[in-house]
Amino acid sequence: MTTQTILPVNAEGLSALSKGSNEPAWLTENRLKALELAATLELPKLEKTRIERWDIQNYGSFKSVSPIASLAEAPESIRELIKDQEAGNLIIQRNSGTVYTKLSPELAAQGVIFTDLATAVKDHEDLVKAHLHTAVTADESSVAALHAALWNGGVFLYVPKNVEVSVPLQAVLLTDDEEATFAPHILVIADTNSSVTYVDNYVSGTSGKPVTHNGAVEVFAKSGAKVRFATIHQMGTNVTDISYRRAVIENDASMEWIVGEMNSGDTASDTYSILKGNGSTSDSKIIAVGSGSQKLNYTTRANHFGKSSESQMITRAVMREEALAIINGITKIEKGATKSDGQQTEKVLMLSPKARGDANPILLIDEDDVKAGHAASVGQVNPEQIYYLMSRGISREVAESLIIYGFLAPVVSQIPLEGLRTQLQSVIEGKLGQ
C-alpha cells in the first residue's frame, strides 16, 4: 500500500522562504528538488512497524525567531540544561531558528567553527555544500526528502586539521510552538587528525497539540579524526520523533555514538556508521525507556567497507506499561573488508506483562576473513536478583530500581557532561514512574 505524502508547503512558498532568507541558489534548488521527491517517494520501511499509522504530518510552518542576548532570557524549560554555560560553547535553537550562539575565543582562534547551519550556509558555503545531504540523502524516503526541503536552524561544527578540542560543545534544541516547523539538521566535520566531543539535547514544551520532529545528523570523520557524539531526546507525548543519524568514517578515524532515547511520544531512529576507511572504528551505545502506549523503532547499523575496521553496538531498552519497542541491530561486512570485526548486543527489559520488546540482531557477511558476533535477550527483571537484594535489607522497590539502573549504566556512565548525566538520570526516573 502506498501512502500519499501531504506536502506542508508548495514550491512557490518554499522558494520564497529560501530566497527571503538569502540562501544561495544551489540550496534553494536542492530544497525544491527534495520537495518534488517527497511527493513521489514512499514512507521509510521500518521492521514490524506501521509508520503510516503514526501522526507524522504535523510540520507547521516556518516562523522567524528573535535572538536572546544572554542565557537569562532563555525559556524556563531549558534553564537547567544550560546552567553555568555563560562562558561555554553553546547553541540554542527554538522552534524554526537559532536564538543563541557562543564559541569561546580560544577555539575560534584555532579555526573551530561552531554556529547554526543556516548561517554556515552563507559564511562557509564551500564546506557545507560539499557535505550537506551526502550521508542522509533526499532520495531515501518521503521523510528524508521532506527534511531536505524543510530543515531549519541546525548546527554546523567544523574542527580543522590536527586540532584537539578538549571541552564538549553543546546544543539545546527546543520545540514549544506546535505551529512552527521544527526540523534541525546537524552537520559535523572533523578534519584530519582532529578530535571533538559534541553533545545535544532535544526538549519540548507542555502543549498537547501534535508536532512532527523530522531531524537529521551527518558526521564526517576524516582520516585519523576522533568524534564523540552524545544526544538525548526527551520530547513529550505530543511529539512524534523521526531521526536519522549517519557517520562517514575514513582511514583510522573513530566515531562514538551515545544516544539516550527518552521521548514520551512515538519514535523512530536510525543510527548508522559507514566504516569507509581502513582501520576505522565505530562504537554505538543506545539506551531507551518506553512508557505508556508508545510505539518505538530503533535501528543501529554498521557497514564495513574498510579493511581492519571495527564496530561495536550496544542497545539497552526498558519497557513499561503498554510500550512497544522494535530494536534492530544490523552489521554488514562488505566484500574486501578483510580483518574486520563487527559485534553487537541488544537487550530489552520489560517491567509489565503488557509491555513488549523485540530484539532483532542481523549479520550480513560478504567476506571470509572477518570476525562477527551478536547477542540478544528479552525478558523481565530477574526475581533471583530481587530476592538477593531484599535479603540484604533492601526494599523491593529500591531493589528493582538498582537492577534497572545497573542495566542502563553502561551507556549513562559514558555521557561526557556531568550535568547531562544527572539530567538523564532524572529523566529515566520520571519515565520509570519513580
Side-chain angles (χ1 to χ4, degrees):
M1 182 181 70
T2 301
T3 302
Q4 180 68 36
T5 297
I6 301 173
L7 300 180
V9 65
N10 58 33
E12 292 76 14
L14 183 60
S15 179
L17 182 62
S18 181
K19 292 175 181 178
S21 299
N22 296 316
E23 293 182 343
W26 64 267
L27 181 54
T28 302
E29 183 179 350
N30 284 356
R31 288 188 185 275
L32 292 173
K33 287 181 178 178
L35 186 67
E36 187 177 345
L37 277 174
T40 61
L41 294 174
E42 295 185 5
L43 291 169
K45 291 178 170 36
L46 304 182
E47 183 75 20
K48 299 180 181 179
T49 299
R50 301 290 297 275
I51 193 172
E52 66 271 13
R53 296 180 177 177
W54 290 15
D55 195 3
I56 57 172
Q57 303 286 358
N58 302 292
Y59 283 95
S61 59
F62 178 86
K63 289 189 175 183
S64 59
V65 293
S66 300
I68 59 176
S70 70
L71 296 185
E73 300 176 31
E76 183 67 30
S77 57
I78 63 171
R79 293 278 177 85
E80 191 64 26
L81 297 175
I82 59 176
K83 186 174 61 178
D84 303 325
Q85 289 293 312
E86 287 80 2
N89 304 288
L90 177 66
I91 290 175
I92 300 174
Q93 174 168 341
R94 187 175 190 181
N95 301 309
S96 300
T98 303
V99 297
Y100 183 88
T101 304
K102 183 163 187 178
L103 175 66
S104 71
E106 294 80 9
L107 290 182
Q110 296 180 67
V112 174
I113 303 169
F114 187 54
T115 186
D116 63 281
L117 185 57
T119 296
V121 163
K122 306 164 193 173
D123 296 347
H124 309 283
E125 184 175 355
D126 290 343
L127 269 174
V128 175
K129 186 176 180 180
H131 295 86
L132 184 65
H133 303 314
T134 61
V136 180
T137 58
D139 59 2
E140 293 184 20
S141 69
S142 62
V143 171
L146 275 177
H147 173 82
L150 300 175
W151 70 263
N152 51 37
V155 174
F156 178 73
L157 169 59
Y158 172 75
V159 185
K161 293 180 181 179
N162 303 315
V163 172
E164 297 184 3
V165 180
S166 59
V167 295
L169 285 78
Q170 185 177 1
V172 176
L173 304 110
L174 167 68
T175 171
D176 61 358
D177 181 350
E178 65 277 357
E179 296 179 354
T181 303
F182 182 61
H185 188 103
I186 315 300
L187 179 57
V188 177
I189 305 169
D191 218 328
T192 306
N193 295 323
S194 65
S195 68
V196 68
T197 295
Y198 167 83
V199 179
D200 66 26
N201 204 305
Y202 290 72
V203 293
S204 65
T206 57
S207 171
K209 294 183 179 179
V211 175
T212 298
H213 166 249
N214 183 347
V217 173
E218 296 181 297
V219 179
F220 298 88
K222 306 298 184 179
S223 296
K226 297 180 180 179
V227 179
R228 175 187 257 188
F229 190 108
T231 181
I232 298 175
H233 288 225
Q234 54 163 326
M235 293 178 282
T237 55
N238 63 309
V239 181
T240 300
D241 181 2
I242 304 176
S243 298
Y244 290 93
R245 308 181 188 100
R246 302 280 167 80
V248 180
I249 311 163
E250 298 188 3
N251 291 339
D252 299 314
S254 67
M255 177 71 202
E256 182 179 4
W257 296 105
I258 303 169
V259 179
E261 300 281 13
M262 298 291 136
N263 288 325
S264 295
D266 294 340
T267 303
S269 70
D270 178 25
T271 305
Y272 182 21
S273 295
I274 303 167
L275 295 114
K276 180 180 176 182
N278 297 334
S280 55
T281 62
S282 169
D283 184 0
S284 304
K285 301 182 182 72
I286 289 88
I287 63 169
V289 178
S291 59
S293 58
Q294 278 185 279
K295 304 295 185 294
L296 310 170
N297 188 295
Y298 304 126
T299 298
T300 311
R301 297 190 283 162
N303 200 348
H304 295 251
F305 292 92
K307 294 179 173 61
S308 301
S309 54
E310 297 182 3
S311 69
Q312 176 74 42
M313 302 187 298
I314 297 174
T315 303
R316 300 202 172 188
V318 177
M319 297 294 111
R320 64 188 295 255
E321 296 169 338
E322 299 180 8
L324 167 62
I326 307 297
I327 311 293
N328 306 300
I330 304 171
T331 302
K332 191 172 193 309
I333 301 180
E334 304 287 350
K335 184 69 176 177
T338 55
K339 308 296 183 184
S340 293
D341 187 354
Q343 306 293 329
Q344 59 169 282
T345 303
E346 293 84 41
K347 293 186 177 182
V348 183
L349 190 63
M350 295 180 293
L351 305 184
S352 164
K354 294 184 178 181
R356 181 180 174 186
D358 287 352
N360 306 302
I362 300 172
L363 300 178
L364 305 171
I365 313 298
D366 290 335
E367 181 57 63
D368 294 330
D369 187 15
V370 299
K371 295 179 181 178
H374 63 71
S377 66
V378 177
Q380 297 182 337
V381 176
N382 189 334
E384 293 183 1
Q385 293 177 335
I386 294 177
Y387 294 151
Y388 174 82
L389 291 172
M390 291 177 65
S391 71
R392 267 47 181 182
I394 298 174
S395 69
R396 174 179 288 275
E397 182 181 33
V398 173
E400 288 183 347
S401 297
L402 289 172
I403 292 169
I404 293 167
Y405 296 143
F407 178 77
L408 299 175
V411 179
V412 176
S413 63
Q414 296 298 309
I415 299 294
L417 286 176
E418 182 179 354
L420 202 57
R421 283 197 306 272
T422 302
Q423 177 244 341
L424 178 58
Q425 189 78 12
S426 176
V427 173
I428 291 172
E429 290 175 359
K431 288 279 286 178
L432 294 174
Q434 297 172 351

